[in-house]
Amino acid sequence: MSQSQVGILQPLPAHATYLHFDLNNNVNKDAVHQALQNVQRLVDGERVVLGVGASLATLLKLNIVGLRDFTGIPDSKVELPATPSALWLWLRESDRGQLVHQQLRIQQALAPAFVLQQQIDGFKFDNGRDLSGYEDGTENPQDEHAIAVAIDVDGGSYVATQKWLHHFDRLAHMSRGEQDDMIGRRQSDNEELDDAPESAHVKRTAQENFEPEAFVLRRSMPWSAGTDAGFYFVAFATSFQAFEAQLRRMSGAEDGITDALFKFTQPLTTSYFWCPPMKEKQLSLDWLLV
């Protein structure tokens, strides 16, 4: 019986590494099949979650309904880079060193069919806050609602990812009141502001205020690399519809009002993937036979 990759629904780990892979030049289907069989034994769906990109599905001539690349939001008032990749892996550990060894094993298993496009090192900060100091995922679906939002009837899930770069100097020049208005919540107690401006992030993304409702299961974490840092946004759902509905409103494409978050942070990437189900406690490769 198929089941979802359980790491999607579990609480965030202390540490994470997100790996994006491209297909190697002139790679053939046999090499890709072998690489996926190699990595299958490493993907337990809990410590390692895997997602398939549209370019991989195209190469293998797979019919994964709903899988496509992000290509932008028409009429967006801000830049939303589209950064497709063939394969995505989310490594989840309580110990940072374990991630290093896990990544080495995964890269070895996928070579030479796949080449690493980007690596993002994430971590849990102050029990679930963004590096801006504000809590993340306050309105996240819980329990049975989370399952209904994130997992389809066959155990698969669609995931949208975005790497956001924070400009902390801009944040530092805002007063606490201006920061609270930007988010739409008080940092001190996480209470939503009744008089928040229309550009406040909470108002732009209130999931129940869309038609149809635009709920996603967020599994986002802060990231850092040298002096750069920000937020790696991860949203699981049964399609990309809810994510794009929120992004249309955030980007000003819907009503011309852009999310106030863009005052201090910007997305560097946007990618889409489909996470296959598990079967008999290992990653199912049944989709390769479609």
Short mmCIF file of all heavy atoms in Angstrom, two decimals, residues 160-208:
data_model
loop_
_atom_site.label_atom_id
_atom_site.label_comp_id
_atom_site.label_asym_id
_atom_site.label_seq_id
_atom_site.Cartn_x
_atom_site.Cartn_y
_atom_site.Cartn_z
N ALA A 160 6.45 23.42 -3.62
CA ALA A 160 7.03 24.63 -4.18
C ALA A 160 8.10 25.14 -3.23
O ALA A 160 7.88 25.19 -2.01
CB ALA A 160 5.94 25.70 -4.37
N THR A 161 9.26 25.49 -3.77
CA THR A 161 10.35 25.98 -2.94
C THR A 161 10.82 27.34 -3.44
O THR A 161 10.83 27.60 -4.64
CB THR A 161 11.55 25.00 -2.93
OG1 THR A 161 12.21 25.04 -4.20
CG2 THR A 161 11.09 23.58 -2.64
N GLN A 162 11.23 28.18 -2.50
CA GLN A 162 11.79 29.49 -2.83
C GLN A 162 12.90 29.83 -1.83
O GLN A 162 12.68 29.73 -0.62
CB GLN A 162 10.74 30.60 -2.77
CG GLN A 162 9.73 30.60 -3.91
CD GLN A 162 8.81 31.81 -3.83
OE1 GLN A 162 8.22 32.08 -2.80
NE2 GLN A 162 8.68 32.53 -4.94
N LYS A 163 14.02 30.24 -2.33
CA LYS A 163 15.10 30.74 -1.48
C LYS A 163 15.01 32.27 -1.45
O LYS A 163 15.13 32.92 -2.48
CB LYS A 163 16.46 30.29 -2.04
CG LYS A 163 17.65 30.75 -1.22
CD LYS A 163 18.95 30.30 -1.89
CE LYS A 163 20.17 30.76 -1.11
NZ LYS A 163 21.43 30.36 -1.79
N TRP A 164 14.80 32.82 -0.26
CA TRP A 164 14.67 34.27 -0.07
C TRP A 164 15.93 34.81 0.61
O TRP A 164 16.41 34.23 1.59
CB TRP A 164 13.45 34.60 0.79
CG TRP A 164 12.13 34.35 0.13
CD1 TRP A 164 11.57 33.15 -0.17
CD2 TRP A 164 11.19 35.35 -0.30
NE1 TRP A 164 10.35 33.32 -0.78
CE2 TRP A 164 10.08 34.65 -0.86
CE3 TRP A 164 11.19 36.74 -0.26
CZ2 TRP A 164 8.98 35.33 -1.38
CZ3 TRP A 164 10.09 37.42 -0.77
CH2 TRP A 164 9.00 36.72 -1.32
N LEU A 165 16.44 35.91 0.09
CA LEU A 165 17.61 36.58 0.67
C LEU A 165 17.15 37.80 1.45
O LEU A 165 16.50 38.70 0.90
CB LEU A 165 18.57 37.01 -0.45
CG LEU A 165 19.78 37.84 -0.01
CD1 LEU A 165 20.72 37.00 0.87
CD2 LEU A 165 20.53 38.40 -1.23
N HIS A 166 17.48 37.84 2.74
CA HIS A 166 17.11 38.97 3.59
C HIS A 166 18.17 40.08 3.51
O HIS A 166 19.37 39.79 3.49
CB HIS A 166 16.99 38.53 5.05
CG HIS A 166 15.81 37.67 5.34
ND1 HIS A 166 14.83 37.39 4.41
CD2 HIS A 166 15.44 37.01 6.48
CE1 HIS A 166 13.90 36.61 4.96
NE2 HIS A 166 14.26 36.36 6.20
N HIS A 167 17.71 41.32 3.50
CA HIS A 167 18.59 42.48 3.57
C HIS A 167 18.40 43.08 4.98
O HIS A 167 17.51 43.90 5.20
CB HIS A 167 18.23 43.49 2.49
CG HIS A 167 18.37 42.94 1.10
ND1 HIS A 167 19.59 42.83 0.46
CD2 HIS A 167 17.45 42.44 0.24
CE1 HIS A 167 19.42 42.29 -0.74
NE2 HIS A 167 18.13 42.04 -0.89
N PHE A 168 19.23 42.63 5.89
CA PHE A 168 19.04 42.97 7.30
C PHE A 168 19.28 44.46 7.56
O PHE A 168 18.75 45.00 8.54
CB PHE A 168 19.94 42.11 8.17
CG PHE A 168 19.56 40.66 8.17
CD1 PHE A 168 20.26 39.75 7.38
CD2 PHE A 168 18.50 40.20 8.92
CE1 PHE A 168 19.91 38.41 7.37
CE2 PHE A 168 18.13 38.86 8.90
CZ PHE A 168 18.84 37.96 8.13
N ASP A 169 20.06 45.13 6.72
CA ASP A 169 20.27 46.56 6.90
C ASP A 169 18.97 47.32 6.71
O ASP A 169 18.70 48.30 7.43
CB ASP A 169 21.36 47.07 5.95
CG ASP A 169 21.08 46.74 4.49
OD1 ASP A 169 20.31 45.79 4.22
OD2 ASP A 169 21.63 47.44 3.60
N ARG A 170 18.15 46.87 5.75
CA ARG A 170 16.85 47.52 5.54
C ARG A 170 15.94 47.30 6.74
O ARG A 170 15.23 48.21 7.18
CB ARG A 170 16.18 46.98 4.29
CG ARG A 170 16.97 47.19 3.01
CD ARG A 170 16.24 46.58 1.82
NE ARG A 170 17.07 46.53 0.62
CZ ARG A 170 16.70 45.94 -0.51
NH1 ARG A 170 15.49 45.38 -0.60
NH2 ARG A 170 17.52 45.93 -1.55
N LEU A 171 15.96 46.09 7.27
CA LEU A 171 15.14 45.77 8.44
C LEU A 171 15.55 46.62 9.64
O LEU A 171 14.70 47.10 10.40
CB LEU A 171 15.27 44.28 8.76
CG LEU A 171 14.27 43.69 9.75
CD1 LEU A 171 12.86 43.71 9.17
CD2 LEU A 171 14.67 42.26 10.11
N ALA A 172 16.86 46.81 9.80
CA ALA A 172 17.37 47.57 10.94
C ALA A 172 16.94 49.03 10.91
O ALA A 172 16.86 49.68 11.97
CB ALA A 172 18.89 47.47 10.99
N HIS A 173 16.66 49.56 9.72
CA HIS A 173 16.24 50.95 9.60
C HIS A 173 14.74 51.13 9.84
O HIS A 173 14.25 52.27 9.82
CB HIS A 173 16.62 51.50 8.22
CG HIS A 173 18.07 51.87 8.09
ND1 HIS A 173 19.03 50.97 7.68
CD2 HIS A 173 18.72 53.03 8.36
CE1 HIS A 173 20.21 51.57 7.68
NE2 HIS A 173 20.06 52.81 8.09
N MET A 174 14.02 50.05 10.05
CA MET A 174 12.59 50.14 10.37
C MET A 174 12.40 50.14 11.88
O MET A 174 13.10 49.44 12.61
CB MET A 174 11.83 48.94 9.79
CG MET A 174 11.86 48.81 8.30
SD MET A 174 10.88 47.33 7.79
CE MET A 174 11.31 47.25 6.05
N SER A 175 11.42 50.90 12.34
CA SER A 175 11.04 50.82 13.76
C SER A 175 10.32 49.51 14.00
O SER A 175 9.88 48.84 13.06
CB SER A 175 10.13 51.99 14.13
OG SER A 175 8.87 51.86 13.47
N ARG A 176 10.18 49.11 15.27
CA ARG A 176 9.44 47.88 15.57
C ARG A 176 8.00 47.99 15.08
O ARG A 176 7.44 47.01 14.57
CB ARG A 176 9.48 47.59 17.09
CG ARG A 176 8.71 46.33 17.52
CD ARG A 176 9.08 45.08 16.74
NE ARG A 176 10.49 44.80 16.70
CZ ARG A 176 11.18 44.23 17.70
NH1 ARG A 176 10.58 43.88 18.80
NH2 ARG A 176 12.46 44.02 17.57
N GLY A 177 7.40 49.15 15.20
CA GLY A 177 6.04 49.32 14.70
C GLY A 177 5.95 49.13 13.19
O GLY A 177 5.01 48.52 12.69
N GLU A 178 6.94 49.64 12.46
CA GLU A 178 6.96 49.47 11.00
C GLU A 178 7.15 48.00 10.63
O GLU A 178 6.55 47.51 9.68
CB GLU A 178 8.08 50.32 10.40
CG GLU A 178 7.81 51.81 10.44
CD GLU A 178 9.01 52.65 10.02
OE1 GLU A 178 10.15 52.19 10.26
OE2 GLU A 178 8.80 53.74 9.46
N GLN A 179 7.99 47.32 11.41
CA GLN A 179 8.20 45.89 11.16
C GLN A 179 6.92 45.11 11.43
O GLN A 179 6.55 44.21 10.66
CB GLN A 179 9.33 45.36 12.04
CG GLN A 179 10.69 45.91 11.68
CD GLN A 179 11.79 45.37 12.59
OE1 GLN A 179 11.64 44.33 13.24
NE2 GLN A 179 12.91 46.08 12.65
N ASP A 180 6.24 45.42 12.51
CA ASP A 180 4.98 44.75 12.83
C ASP A 180 3.94 44.99 11.74
O ASP A 180 3.20 44.07 11.36
CB ASP A 180 4.44 45.23 14.18
CG ASP A 180 5.23 44.70 15.37
OD1 ASP A 180 6.09 43.81 15.17
OD2 ASP A 180 4.99 45.17 16.50
N ASP A 181 3.87 46.21 11.23
CA ASP A 181 2.93 46.52 10.15
C ASP A 181 3.29 45.75 8.88
O ASP A 181 2.41 45.34 8.12
CB ASP A 181 2.93 48.02 9.85
CG ASP A 181 2.11 48.82 10.86
OD1 ASP A 181 1.30 48.21 11.58
OD2 ASP A 181 2.29 50.05 10.90
N MET A 182 4.56 45.56 8.63
CA MET A 182 5.01 44.82 7.46
C MET A 182 4.54 43.37 7.53
O MET A 182 4.06 42.81 6.54
CB MET A 182 6.54 44.86 7.37
CG MET A 182 7.14 44.02 6.27
SD MET A 182 8.95 44.15 6.24
CE MET A 182 9.38 43.34 7.79
N ILE A 183 4.64 42.77 8.70
CA ILE A 183 4.23 41.38 8.87
C ILE A 183 2.73 41.25 9.11
O ILE A 183 2.08 40.32 8.63
CB ILE A 183 5.00 40.73 10.04
CG1 ILE A 183 6.51 40.79 9.79
CG2 ILE A 183 4.55 39.28 10.25
CD1 ILE A 183 6.97 40.05 8.54
N GLY A 184 2.18 42.20 9.87
CA GLY A 184 0.76 42.12 10.25
C GLY A 184 0.57 41.44 11.59
O GLY A 184 -0.56 41.14 11.99
N ARG A 185 1.66 41.22 12.31
CA ARG A 185 1.63 40.64 13.67
C ARG A 185 2.65 41.37 14.53
O ARG A 185 3.66 41.87 14.02
CB ARG A 185 1.97 39.14 13.65
CG ARG A 185 0.94 38.26 12.99
CD ARG A 185 1.34 36.78 13.09
NE ARG A 185 0.39 35.93 12.42
CZ ARG A 185 -0.75 35.47 12.96
NH1 ARG A 185 -1.03 35.80 14.21
NH2 ARG A 185 -1.57 34.71 12.26
N ARG A 186 2.40 41.37 15.85
CA ARG A 186 3.40 41.89 16.77
C ARG A 186 4.47 40.83 17.01
O ARG A 186 4.15 39.66 17.27
CB ARG A 186 2.76 42.27 18.11
CG ARG A 186 1.91 43.53 18.05
CD ARG A 186 1.58 44.03 19.46
NE ARG A 186 0.83 43.04 20.21
CZ ARG A 186 -0.51 43.00 20.28
NH1 ARG A 186 -1.23 43.89 19.63
NH2 ARG A 186 -1.11 42.07 20.99
N GLN A 187 5.70 41.24 16.92
CA GLN A 187 6.79 40.29 17.17
C GLN A 187 6.78 39.84 18.63
O GLN A 187 7.09 38.69 18.93
CB GLN A 187 8.15 40.92 16.84
CG GLN A 187 9.30 39.93 16.94
CD GLN A 187 10.64 40.55 16.64
OE1 GLN A 187 11.52 40.56 17.50
NE2 GLN A 187 10.81 41.08 15.44
N SER A 188 6.38 40.71 19.53
CA SER A 188 6.45 40.42 20.97
C SER A 188 5.57 39.26 21.40
O SER A 188 5.97 38.43 22.23
CB SER A 188 6.08 41.67 21.77
OG SER A 188 4.75 42.10 21.43
N ASP A 189 4.35 39.16 20.84
CA ASP A 189 3.43 38.10 21.27
C ASP A 189 2.77 37.36 20.11
O ASP A 189 1.91 36.51 20.32
CB ASP A 189 2.35 38.68 22.19
CG ASP A 189 1.53 39.79 21.55
OD1 ASP A 189 1.67 40.01 20.32
OD2 ASP A 189 0.75 40.46 22.27
N ASN A 190 3.15 37.69 18.87
CA ASN A 190 2.65 37.04 17.66
C ASN A 190 1.17 37.28 17.42
O ASN A 190 0.53 36.57 16.63
CB ASN A 190 2.94 35.52 17.69
CG ASN A 190 2.91 34.91 16.30
OD1 ASN A 190 3.36 35.51 15.33
ND2 ASN A 190 2.36 33.70 16.19
N GLU A 191 0.59 38.26 18.07
CA GLU A 191 -0.83 38.57 17.88
C GLU A 191 -1.02 39.35 16.57
O GLU A 191 -0.26 40.27 16.27
CB GLU A 191 -1.37 39.39 19.05
CG GLU A 191 -1.59 38.57 20.31
CD GLU A 191 -2.63 37.48 20.13
OE1 GLU A 191 -3.70 37.79 19.56
OE2 GLU A 191 -2.36 36.34 20.53
N GLU A 192 -2.07 38.97 15.84
CA GLU A 192 -2.37 39.65 14.58
C GLU A 192 -2.90 41.05 14.84
O GLU A 192 -3.68 41.27 15.77
CB GLU A 192 -3.39 38.83 13.79
CG GLU A 192 -3.59 39.31 12.37
CD GLU A 192 -4.38 38.32 11.53
OE1 GLU A 192 -4.43 37.13 11.88
OE2 GLU A 192 -4.96 38.76 10.51
N LEU A 193 -2.48 42.01 14.02
CA LEU A 193 -2.89 43.40 14.18
C LEU A 193 -4.23 43.64 13.49
O LEU A 193 -4.39 43.35 12.31
CB LEU A 193 -1.84 44.33 13.57
CG LEU A 193 -0.40 44.22 14.11
CD1 LEU A 193 0.51 45.19 13.35
CD2 LEU A 193 -0.36 44.50 15.60
N ASP A 194 -5.18 44.19 14.23
CA ASP A 194 -6.50 44.47 13.66
C ASP A 194 -6.43 45.56 12.60
O ASP A 194 -7.22 45.56 11.65
CB ASP A 194 -7.48 44.89 14.76
CG ASP A 194 -7.79 43.75 15.73
OD1 ASP A 194 -7.71 42.58 15.30
OD2 ASP A 194 -8.10 44.03 16.89
N ASP A 195 -5.50 46.50 12.77
CA ASP A 195 -5.42 47.64 11.87
C ASP A 195 -4.22 47.55 10.94
O ASP A 195 -3.70 48.57 10.47
CB ASP A 195 -5.36 48.94 12.67
CG ASP A 195 -4.18 48.97 13.65
OD1 ASP A 195 -3.53 47.91 13.84
OD2 ASP A 195 -3.90 50.05 14.22
N ALA A 196 -3.76 46.34 10.63
CA ALA A 196 -2.62 46.17 9.74
C ALA A 196 -2.94 46.71 8.36
O ALA A 196 -4.08 46.59 7.88
CB ALA A 196 -2.24 44.70 9.65
N PRO A 197 -1.97 47.31 7.68
CA PRO A 197 -2.21 47.82 6.32
C PRO A 197 -2.48 46.68 5.33
O PRO A 197 -2.15 45.52 5.60
CB PRO A 197 -0.92 48.56 5.99
CG PRO A 197 0.11 47.98 6.89
CD PRO A 197 -0.59 47.59 8.15
N GLU A 198 -3.05 47.02 4.18
CA GLU A 198 -3.39 46.01 3.18
C GLU A 198 -2.16 45.31 2.61
O GLU A 198 -2.25 44.21 2.08
CB GLU A 198 -4.18 46.64 2.03
CG GLU A 198 -5.61 46.99 2.40
CD GLU A 198 -6.39 45.78 2.88
OE1 GLU A 198 -6.34 44.73 2.20
OE2 GLU A 198 -7.05 45.88 3.92
N SER A 199 -0.99 45.95 2.75
CA SER A 199 0.24 45.34 2.26
C SER A 199 0.86 44.36 3.25
O SER A 199 1.84 43.69 2.91
CB SER A 199 1.26 46.43 1.93
OG SER A 199 1.59 47.17 3.11
N ALA A 200 0.32 44.25 4.45
CA ALA A 200 0.90 43.37 5.47
C ALA A 200 0.90 41.92 4.97
O ALA A 200 -0.05 41.46 4.34
CB ALA A 200 0.11 43.48 6.77
N HIS A 201 1.97 41.22 5.28
CA HIS A 201 2.12 39.85 4.80
C HIS A 201 0.97 38.96 5.23
O HIS A 201 0.48 38.14 4.44
CB HIS A 201 3.45 39.28 5.30
CG HIS A 201 3.71 37.88 4.85
ND1 HIS A 201 3.81 37.54 3.52
CD2 HIS A 201 3.89 36.72 5.56
CE1 HIS A 201 4.04 36.23 3.41
NE2 HIS A 201 4.08 35.72 4.62
N VAL A 202 0.51 39.11 6.46
CA VAL A 202 -0.60 38.29 6.95
C VAL A 202 -1.85 38.51 6.12
O VAL A 202 -2.57 37.55 5.79
CB VAL A 202 -0.86 38.60 8.44
CG1 VAL A 202 -2.21 38.03 8.88
CG2 VAL A 202 0.25 38.04 9.32
N LYS A 203 -2.13 39.74 5.74
CA LYS A 203 -3.31 40.02 4.93
C LYS A 203 -3.15 39.53 3.50
O LYS A 203 -4.10 39.06 2.87
CB LYS A 203 -3.62 41.52 4.94
CG LYS A 203 -4.25 42.01 6.23
CD LYS A 203 -4.86 43.38 6.05
CE LYS A 203 -5.66 43.79 7.28
NZ LYS A 203 -6.33 45.10 7.10
N ARG A 204 -1.94 39.62 2.97
CA ARG A 204 -1.69 39.18 1.59
C ARG A 204 -1.85 37.67 1.44
O ARG A 204 -2.19 37.18 0.36
CB ARG A 204 -0.28 39.58 1.16
CG ARG A 204 0.01 41.06 1.04
CD ARG A 204 -0.51 41.63 -0.27
NE ARG A 204 -1.88 42.14 -0.16
CZ ARG A 204 -2.64 42.50 -1.17
NH1 ARG A 204 -2.18 42.38 -2.41
NH2 ARG A 204 -3.85 42.95 -0.99
N THR A 205 -1.58 36.93 2.52
CA THR A 205 -1.50 35.46 2.40
C THR A 205 -2.50 34.71 3.27
O THR A 205 -2.35 33.50 3.44
CB THR A 205 -0.08 34.98 2.76
OG1 THR A 205 0.25 35.39 4.10
CG2 THR A 205 0.96 35.54 1.79
N ALA A 206 -3.50 35.39 3.81
CA ALA A 206 -4.50 34.70 4.63
C ALA A 206 -5.16 33.60 3.81
O ALA A 206 -5.94 33.87 2.89
CB ALA A 206 -5.54 35.69 5.15
N GLN A 207 -4.85 32.34 4.12
CA GLN A 207 -5.20 31.22 3.25
C GLN A 207 -6.70 31.03 3.10
O GLN A 207 -7.18 30.59 2.05
CB GLN A 207 -4.55 29.93 3.79
CG GLN A 207 -3.03 30.04 3.82
CD GLN A 207 -2.37 28.84 4.47
OE1 GLN A 207 -1.92 27.92 3.79
NE2 GLN A 207 -2.31 28.83 5.79
N GLU A 208 -7.46 31.38 4.14
CA GLU A 208 -8.91 31.19 4.09
C GLU A 208 -9.62 32.29 3.31
O GLU A 208 -10.82 32.17 3.03
CB GLU A 208 -9.47 31.12 5.52
CG GLU A 208 -9.40 32.42 6.31
CD GLU A 208 -8.03 32.69 6.93
OE1 GLU A 208 -7.10 31.89 6.70
OE2 GLU A 208 -7.91 33.71 7.63
#
